[in-house]
Amino acid sequence: DGTTVDFQLNETLKQSIAVEPIEPGARQLIPTEIVFDHSGSVSLGAKVNTSDVVPQDDEFYRALWIQSEIKVLIVDGDEVDSQAPSATRYIRLAMNSRQNKIESIPLRDINTEYVFDRFDVICLCNVARLSNEMAEKVAKFVKSGGGLFVFLGADCDRDFYNTWQYDLNYIM
């Protein structure tokens, strides 16, 4: 049939992907990757090119805000002072780019006065559990739009993470 989906960035064609015809009312996942070369406001669009009796739903556009950097806090739950590298080392390596500003801190150095608002994302790495006060503070951070990654380790308290709630909503 020759059906394609065109992906546009700021009205410039970035990629055209051939797809199988899509039945009316059906959905189809189309993996793609678009690299943003600058921060700020961008327009992202997708258009299905096909002979369709209802062309009104063949185009989709969204305005996006691309951040210039992502500020990441990595909380290290490893309490062992050894020569072996911490698990957070691998998280830092995976997130290392010029767009990410990464700060790493041991769990024992965080108290309820610690300010999370200056970060976009918190990564808890092998943190067994949080105190009630700290769990509430992290939950408020997430509720206000902050990101949270939890990398479980051998010492993690499964029941804590499975039952962690804030305002009657599960965090995980």
Side-chain angles (χ1 to χ4, degrees):
D1 179 325
T3 302
T4 61
V5 176
D6 293 344
F7 293 95
Q8 300 173 356
L9 181 61
N10 294 330
E11 300 180 2
T12 300
L13 180 65
K14 289 295 185 179
Q15 193 172 25
S16 186
I17 299 175
V19 297
E20 295 295 320
I22 303 169
E23 296 298 320
R27 293 176 178 236
Q28 183 174 349
L29 180 65
I30 303 166
T32 187
E33 182 176 310
I34 296 177
V35 176
F36 302 98
D37 57 2
H38 67 280
S39 61
S41 181
V42 298
S43 170
L44 184 64
K47 180 179 179 185
V48 178
N49 298 303
T50 187
S51 54
D52 189 348
V53 294
V54 185
Q56 293 86 350
D57 65 351
D58 292 348
E59 296 183 39
F60 176 84
Y61 295 94
R62 286 291 185 258
L64 304 176
W65 181 259
I66 307 302
Q67 290 184 230
S68 60
E69 65 182 16
I70 299 173
K71 294 172 278 257
V72 180
L73 173 64
I74 299 175
V75 180
D76 189 346
D78 284 339
E79 295 294 329
V80 179
D81 293 323
S82 72
Q83 300 294 69
S86 168
T88 62
R89 173 179 182 236
Y90 302 106
I91 303 301
R92 281 194 308 272
L93 286 172
M95 293 186 172
N96 189 23
S97 78
R98 30 180 207 147
Q99 288 83 21
N100 294 336
K101 302 290 184 196
I102 300 172
E103 184 176 320
S104 186
I105 187 169
L107 178 63
R108 67 180 170 270
D109 292 348
I110 291 185
N111 59 39
T112 55
E113 302 302 314
Y114 198 84
V115 179
F116 293 131
D117 295 347
R118 60 193 174 113
F119 298 99
D120 300 304
V121 176
I122 297 173
C123 298
L124 301 178
C125 299
N126 199 24
V127 171
R129 64 175 297 120
L130 297 172
S131 68
N132 290 341
E133 297 82 14
M134 192 58 63
E136 182 175 338
K137 190 167 183 176
V138 171
K140 285 180 180 178
F141 169 82
V142 172
K143 186 173 182 180
S144 68
L148 176 65
F149 288 102
V150 177
F151 299 93
L152 301 176
D155 298 328
C156 291
D157 180 348
R158 177 177 47 198
D159 292 333
F160 166 76
Y161 288 103
N162 287 335
T163 60
W164 185 8
Q165 291 186 26
Y166 179 74
D167 281 349
L168 301 177
N169 294 306
Y170 285 103
I171 302 303
M172 304 302 292

